[in-house]
Amino acid sequence: EIVMTQSPATLSVSPGDRATLSCKASQSVSDNLAWYQQRPGQPPRLLIYEASTRATGVPARFSGSESGTEFTLSISSLQSEDFVVYFCQQYNNWPPTFGGGTRVEIK
Amino acid sequence: QVQLQESGPGLVKPSQTLSLTCTVSGGSVTSGSFYWSWIRQHPGKGLEWIGYIYSTGSIDYNPSLKTRVTISVDTSKNQFSLKMNSVTAADTAVYFCARGANVLFLASWGQGTLVTVSS
């Protein structure tokens, strides 16, 4: 199965600053990559699919990009509600696999 | 707006069978092109896709769990279900049901239910 590696495990950022989260696939997944946000006690919320397409209702401060097997989620101007956990997921191959997550914490 | 809700026992004894049901409202489990899926999350850890049943009835399972898992659908109740046999403490997790449209990313999720395997 494809292994998704997220870095860093924890990212410390000041409110209002930009956060850049990374996700690397062990092999090509084309652009079949999604990003989710998960708040404590809640299910994941889809943010991005097809590597860079925002899901319905997702604020424009969230953006995704790709370069080969490396994917990036950027959050511009972090708001208080953004300090939670983010997961990437590939859906190019079965089974779909998730990264281990990046926790964004207040610096 | 589709809604999903998991239900089932929160405590299962080792070696027994875990059984969960996902009740769907706001959409039919047999219409459209949807992957009705089960995902689990071990405490404080990442996510693992267990399997899905497609709107047409086709099913696939994660190879790591394939020998222990069965997913089925009850169209009369608009529900789909998960059974996992021979559970151990390693199966303790929050279990989510979710829906993917056309492809295997998940836009709609249930709230999740914690299942603890313990004697």
Side-chain angles (χ1 to χ4, degrees), chain A residues 11 17-22 35 47-48 51 54 58-65 71-78 82 86:
Chain A
L11 183 63
D17 283 355
R18 183 181 189 85
T20 302
L21 289 67
S22 295
W35 288 95
L47 295 177
I48 301 281
R54 275 191 302 279
V58 174
R61 64 179 182 275
F62 291 92
S63 62
S65 62
F71 299 84
T72 300
L73 174 69
S74 297
I75 314 170
S76 65
S77 189
L78 276 157
D82 300 335
Y86 297 84

Side-chain angles (χ1 to χ4, degrees), chain A residues 4 16-17 23 28 33 42-43 46-47 51 57 67 75-77 83-84 87 93 102:
Chain A
M4 306 301 292
D17 283 355
C23 174
S28 174
L33 189 285
Q42 295 294 313
L46 179 68
L47 295 177
S67 177
I75 314 170
S76 65
S77 189
F83 290 93
V84 290
F87 294 98
N93 287 24
T102 291

Side-chain angles (χ1 to χ4, degrees), chain B residues 80-98:
Chain B
F80 63 105
S81 298
L82 169 70
K83 290 189 187 300
M84 180 182 296
N85 59 33
S86 305
V87 297
T88 69
D91 295 309
T92 293
V94 175
Y95 287 76
F96 296 98
C97 59

Side-chain angles (χ1 to χ4, degrees), chain A residues 13-40:
Chain A
V13 187
S14 299
D17 283 355
R18 183 181 189 85
T20 302
L21 289 67
S22 295
C23 174
K24 183 173 176 59
S26 60
Q27 64 188 77
S28 174
V29 297
S30 188
D31 62 352
N32 296 312
L33 189 285
W35 288 95
Y36 300 85
Q37 176 191 68
Q38 188 175 31
R39 297 193 167 104

